[in-house]
Structure formats: C-alpha cells, structure tokens
Amino acid sequence: MQDNAASQQARHHVETMYAQDACAQNMGMHIEHIDVGFARLSMKIIPSMLNGHQSCHGGILFSLADTAFAYACNSEGLAAVASSGSIDFICPVLVDDQLTATASVQHQGKTTGLYDVEITNQAGNVVALFRGRAHRVGHHISDNSLNNDFVNNDPLNNTQKNRQGEQS
C-alpha cells in the first residue's frame, strides 16, 4: 500500500465521489478500504436483487464490480471513466450473501488503465471476476468543468468534436 498521505488523499477523492453516487448508496454499497489504485467495497444481497432463478441478478454484481473499479481508477484524483468492462460469473450468489469487491490497478498509463476486480462471498469464495479499462478524461475529479460534461452525458466531450465534424 502507499504512504499515509497518498492513502489519505485517495480516500478523500473516493469519498467525494461516493457522496454523489446515488446508485452505490441506494444499492447498499459500503467503502471498506481505499488506497491509490485500490478499492474494497462490501454489499449485502437483499431480496429485490434476485432474478427469476432466485439468485443475484448479474447486473447487480456488475454494478458492484464497476463501482469498485471506478473508485480504484479515480483514487489519484484524476477523473477517469470506463471505456470497457467485462465480467465472468463463477458461482451463484444468494439472498443474504455478504459480498466484497476488491479492485486493483494492473496498469495505469498517462490516459488509459487496466483494473481487475474480484468479488467474494462471506465464505471467501470467488463469485465473479471483472476486468475494466479506464480512460482519464483530462480533469481533476473536483473540477467543475468535468461535471458539466457528465451532465451533458458526454464525459469525453465527443459532442463538441462531432459538431465540429458536421460543420466541415
């Protein structure tokens, strides 16, 4: 893990994101540990998260993994968004299971990063594996101009690029 100052800063960046993350809060996700390039979250599976087979819906697991991934790749304070993500479901997850998602950086370049997330249950069994690719958008997570791009559903500012292309 990183030195104390870097760890504290990483936690501050993630707590700033979590405070605005209605999805994570409404799904009952809790931050367990944050460090630079690392995030561990927990979540209990409740009945409303079950699919027709009475096991946890895969989208719920993807959301947990994606959130851990997001916190790990934004922990340095440089705003990053997912450019791709994939998940492998290893075994069923049932109601009342307590899950832990652990995300860690595998590679972080200037603008792109690769992160792995392992989701385990209360017995320590791996239930899903996720891999995400991140793209840094060129802003700090506290930069207000970034929020304007997200409000317009355009974190990479492609609308402006597309408009310029249409005018050519």
Side-chain angles (χ1 to χ4, degrees):
M1 299 290 161
Q2 302 292 316
D3 68 61
N4 196 30
S7 295
Q8 288 177 353
Q9 211 169 27
R11 182 150 184 102
H12 172 74
H13 296 311
V14 171
E15 286 173 347
T16 298
M17 289 182 66
Y18 183 78
Q20 299 179 37
D21 192 339
C23 182
Q25 292 176 34
N26 285 324
M27 290 181 72
M29 294 180 201
H30 300 282
I31 298 170
E32 300 297 331
H33 185 76
I34 299 296
D35 211 323
V36 177
F38 179 89
R40 185 170 48 245
L41 307 179
S42 64
M43 181 177 77
K44 183 177 181 178
I45 301 304
I46 60 176
S48 63
M49 296 175 173
L50 301 181
N51 61 23
H53 298 292
Q54 294 302 291
S55 63
C56 183
H57 190 287
I60 301 293
L61 298 176
F62 191 97
S63 294
L64 175 61
D66 185 50
T67 303
F69 159 54
Y71 293 170
C73 69
N74 282 278
S75 63
E76 292 183 61
L78 301 172
V81 295
S83 60
S84 69
S86 64
I87 193 165
D88 292 304
F89 304 111
I90 309 301
C91 67
V93 173
L94 305 174
V95 72
D96 292 328
D97 277 355
Q98 182 68 37
L99 302 182
T100 301
T102 304
S104 58
V105 62
Q106 302 305 305
H107 169 77
Q108 180 59 63
K110 183 177 177 183
T111 58
T112 61
L114 181 65
Y115 293 75
D116 286 338
V117 182
E118 179 180 83
I119 302 177
T120 57
N121 64 15
Q122 64 278 1
N125 298 324
V126 175
V127 299
L129 297 170
F130 173 98
R131 175 160 271 195
R133 296 182 189 281
H135 176 80
R136 288 185 172 168
V137 295
H139 303 283
H140 191 274
I141 62 170
S142 63
D143 186 347
N144 288 334
S145 65
L146 173 65
N147 294 331
N148 291 334
D149 289 340
F150 277 109
V151 167
N152 295 323
N153 289 326
D154 194 11
L156 302 178
N157 201 19
N158 288 320
T159 302
Q160 185 65 28
K161 293 174 192 169
N162 289 341
R163 287 184 184 146
Q164 290 171 349
E166 291 171 3
Q167 295 171 355
S168 303

